[in-house]
Amino acid sequence: MAKKWIDGTVPRFLLVGVINTLVGCGAMFLLYNLAHWSYWLSSAANYLLGGIVSFFLNKYFTFRKREWSWGQAVRFAVNVAACWLLAYGLAKPLVLQLLAGRSLWLQENAAMLVGMCLYTALNYLGQRFFAFRK
């Protein structure tokens, strides 16, 4: 059972994730902390920019899908949107409750970090078994 879930795609997905994180997460924290965008707009920009990078790297490098399909692109976009909404929707109230009484800046930055972790796990499963399924 574990072999079905953990194979050669996992290290490639994690490597793409590092690249994706540098692009998307960098934009998210810069937009939130320097441009003073909201929590939701900053995290959405992360996944819009990172999603574009992630789509092409995961399609061709991680899951080695060479053919082009609008279906894959649509499934990928649906997966990213669903994972983002779920991960960040769960992270924010959880962290706000855990860090009650702390500054909103700390709460929202921490929520974005927790949301990133939740998103990564959900996104891998969604890409592997939905967006780029065999």
Side-chain angles (χ1 to χ4, degrees):
M1 177 75 157
K3 187 176 181 181
K4 181 179 179 181
W5 293 74
I6 300 172
D7 62 8
T9 62
V10 172
R12 291 190 302 266
F13 183 83
L14 293 173
L15 178 59
V16 167
V18 169
I19 295 165
N20 184 35
T21 298
L22 292 173
V23 172
C25 188
M28 176 176 67
F29 284 109
L30 287 172
L31 290 170
Y32 181 81
N33 290 297
L34 297 180
H36 306 290
W37 284 23
S38 73
Y39 171 85
W40 287 107
L41 284 176
S42 299
S43 67
N46 176 358
Y47 291 99
L48 179 63
L49 295 171
I52 293 167
V53 171
S54 180
F55 176 78
F56 289 103
L57 289 177
N58 280 316
K59 175 179 175 49
Y60 295 109
F61 175 68
T62 303
F63 299 107
R64 302 191 174 170
K65 300 290 183 179
R66 301 294 179 228
E67 73 284 350
W68 173 256
S69 162
W70 280 108
Q72 282 180 349
V74 169
R75 286 192 308 271
F76 182 88
V78 167
N79 179 63
V80 167
C83 291
W84 169 66
L85 287 169
L86 186 59
Y88 283 80
L90 291 171
K92 189 169 184 179
L94 174 68
V95 171
L96 291 180
Q97 189 173 25
L98 289 172
L99 296 178
R102 303 292 182 137
S103 73
L104 183 63
W105 177 87
L106 176 64
Q107 291 173 333
E108 289 190 337
N109 274 282
M112 286 188 286
L113 286 171
V114 171
M116 284 172 42
C117 295
L118 289 172
Y119 175 88
T120 298
L122 294 170
N123 187 39
Y124 173 76
L125 295 172
Q127 284 190 44
R128 176 149 183 211
F129 297 109
F130 177 64
F132 299 119
R133 68 180 182 255
K134 292 182 180 180

